[in-house]
Structure formats: C-alpha cells, structure tokens
Amino acid sequence: MLESGETRPNRLRETTNAQFAVISRDFAGIAWLIALTSLVSTAALPLVEAITLGALAGQAGRYGPIRLWGSLGFMAAVFAGGAWLDFHALHALPLAMLIFALGALAVGALLPAQPLHLAASATRLPMNAAAVLLLASGFCMAVAHGTLYAFFTLHLQREGYGGSLIGFLWMLGVLGEILVFLFLPALFRRFALSTLLVASAACGVARFLAIGWEADWLAVLLAAQLLHAATFGSFHAAAVAAVHRVFPPHAQARGQSLFSSVGYGAGGALGMLAAGWAWEAAGPGVAFTVSAAAAAAGLLFAYPLKRAGL
C-alpha cells in the first residue's frame, strides 16, 4: 500500500534528520582530530628552527639551503599526491601519510643532541623592544598573506584562468622561495636582517596590490608569484634568524614558538578572517588591498630594527 501524503514527508524528515545527525557527529570528530594534530604538529616547526640555528653556530646564512628541502618536499607531495590519487582510492591516503610521519619521527630520533641550557629555563621569556617589533612585523606579514592563502585560487577562477595554470602559479611561488633559500648565504652576507625584512615587506605591498587589481594580466601574475621568494622566503628566513639574535640561548625554542604562534597562528587566522570580511563587503580588489596595507604595517614595524643592530 502506498504511504499517505502526510506519512511520507514525516518519514523523509526523520531519515534526513538522522543523516544530518550522523554527519554532524562525524564532522565534530574530524574537527577535534584536526585541532589536536595541528596543536601537536605546529609545535614541531619552531623547535626545528631553534635546533637548526643552534647547530649552525651563528652561520644563519646556511639556514636557507637546509630550509629549501621543506619546499622541495611540499612540491613533491603535491605532484606525487596527485598521481597517487589518480590510481588509488582516497581511503589509502592516510596510510601513505602515516608512513611519511613515521619516517619523520625516525629521522628526528637520529638528530644529534644539543647542549642543554638550564639557566633561567623556567623564568619569564625575556622581551625587549626589538623582540616586540619583530613579533609585530611577523604578525602583520602573516595577516597580509591571509587573502592569498584563502582566496587566490577563487580569485583567478573568477578571472577565467584554468586549473592547470592556477596550479602552475602556485608552484611558481614555491620555486621562488626555493631560489631565495638556495642563495640565502649570499643574501645574509650582503644585507642586514632588518634590510631583508623591510625589502620583503615592501615586495608584499606591491605583490598584493598587483594580484588584487591587475590579475587579468598574466605577466603581472607571474611576476607577483615570483615575489613569494621575498614575501615569504626571505622574510621568513630573516625573521627566524632575527629571533635567534633577540632571544638569549636558553630561550631560543620559546622565542621561535612565540614567533610562530603570534605570526603564523594568530596573524594567519586574523588575515583569513579579514580577507573573508573584505571579500564579502567589497570584492577581491579590496581584500588584497587589505593584505597590502598589512604588509605596509609590517614594513613600518621592521624599519626600526635597523637601530637595534639587526
């Protein structure tokens, strides 16, 4: 017998509600899992930075040739991951990720031990004017990249660019940062850290304005993506080296953690939120202009570091 018109919608509604309940529970579980893994994995970066610079014994310029392997790994993961998903089911991906994570764990266990700095290890993190300015500059530059990371692909799709070209533009940015990491020793010998920070922030102003208002010109986009070498590559390397200088030896790990938290954590989150608000209110041009303004603020905070001897 056919169900009555009143009974069928009720059963359909109950089934739909039950499905949404399962989805919401699954989503909550995934969200908590991502939050937990992010909390744990994010702590690794500043520790690696501190260990690396400590092992280099004042030769901060050598940081770049080491750091570029992270960028190469990113590119390899993008290309290899895409090829993997072309021939394997999606549920096989976590196993591959687990294998690489275990490999990283094994390599980490083989790292040479560093001398312990016990003095003042439990005291308050020492702060001075240079440290505050550096944190403020890093925060602003992270905010500046919010629109890029959240909306660059969408912006180019609206401009009519295809997926392959958009992917190439992303990879071009990574290639730019690899090049600057490769030549970082020469840059550090020739320029002060404060000069690199100021120049990188200035490139950020030009880059984000160009992407926001001239994205219909491919040549402009190519140049803007190459500027990732400065806005992320040289800025990040110079900032990490500056953190190593402004904080004493016993506070290196905490200093790098604070910089990552304030910059890439708080700054990155605020940058994406601001990008969303600006995008909805006035469109991509204004959103990227907000990014350019944040980069200009990063420049203003970095400039006084010249007087601090950086």
Side-chain angles (χ1 to χ4, degrees):
M1 178 181 294
L2 293 176
E3 295 172 309
S4 67
E6 181 180 358
T7 304
R8 186 180 301 168
N10 288 338
R11 291 190 177 180
L12 180 60
R13 189 180 303 112
E14 290 173 1
T15 302
T16 303
N17 289 339
Q19 290 173 340
F20 278 127
V22 172
I23 292 173
S24 66
R25 286 199 299 271
D26 290 344
F27 173 80
I30 293 173
W32 279 109
L33 178 62
I34 291 175
L36 179 61
T37 55
S38 297
L39 180 65
V40 175
S41 61
T42 302
L45 178 61
L47 293 177
V48 170
E49 309 283 21
I51 292 171
T52 301
L53 289 170
L56 293 178
Q59 302 178 63
R62 294 174 57 199
Y63 167 84
I66 295 173
R67 177 60 177 80
L68 70 84
W69 289 98
S71 302
L72 289 172
F74 172 79
M75 293 183 64
V78 170
F79 286 114
W84 173 277
L85 292 177
D86 284 339
F87 299 99
H88 298 81
L90 184 61
H91 62 74
L93 188 59
L95 177 60
M97 297 172 68
L98 175 62
I99 292 173
F100 282 108
L102 290 175
L105 177 63
V107 172
L110 296 175
L111 289 174
Q114 295 293 311
L116 295 175
H117 295 284
L118 299 178
S121 59
T123 62
R124 186 178 62 180
L125 184 65
M127 296 290 291
N128 52 44
V132 173
L133 288 169
L134 182 60
L135 291 173
S137 183
F139 174 83
C140 291
M141 285 298 286
V143 171
H145 283 77
T147 310
L148 179 80
Y149 294 148
F151 294 112
F152 182 65
T153 297
L154 179 59
H155 180 40
L156 296 191
Q157 287 175 339
R158 290 179 53 168
E159 293 290 333
Y161 292 98
S164 298
L165 182 54
I166 294 173
F168 171 75
L169 288 168
W170 276 111
M171 289 300 100
L172 188 62
V174 180
L175 285 173
E177 75 180 51
I178 289 175
L179 287 175
V180 81
F181 286 146
L182 186 62
F183 293 101
L184 198 64
L187 288 175
F188 275 15
R189 285 194 300 268
R190 185 169 183 178
F191 301 105
L193 295 179
S194 56
T195 300
L196 291 174
L197 292 172
V198 169
S200 299
C203 288
V205 177
R207 181 189 186 192
F208 298 127
L209 287 176
I211 293 174
W213 297 103
E214 300 295 338
D216 53 332
W217 292 85
L218 179 58
V220 172
L221 279 180
L222 292 171
Q225 281 304 92
L226 283 175
L227 284 178
H228 192 69
T231 66
F232 173 76
S234 60
F235 187 91
H236 174 76
V240 167
V243 169
H244 195 71
R245 285 195 196 175
V246 300
F247 290 100
H250 69 267
Q252 291 295 308
R254 286 185 292 161
Q256 297 290 352
S257 298
L258 180 62
F259 181 80
S260 293
S261 300
V262 171
Y264 302 121
L270 179 60
M272 290 188 182
L273 284 173
W277 292 330
W279 185 284
E280 288 187 352
V286 172
F288 278 98
T289 300
V290 170
S291 288
L299 187 157
L300 293 176
F301 282 118
Y303 186 79
L305 292 173
K306 292 179 178 290
R307 293 195 297 270
L310 286 177

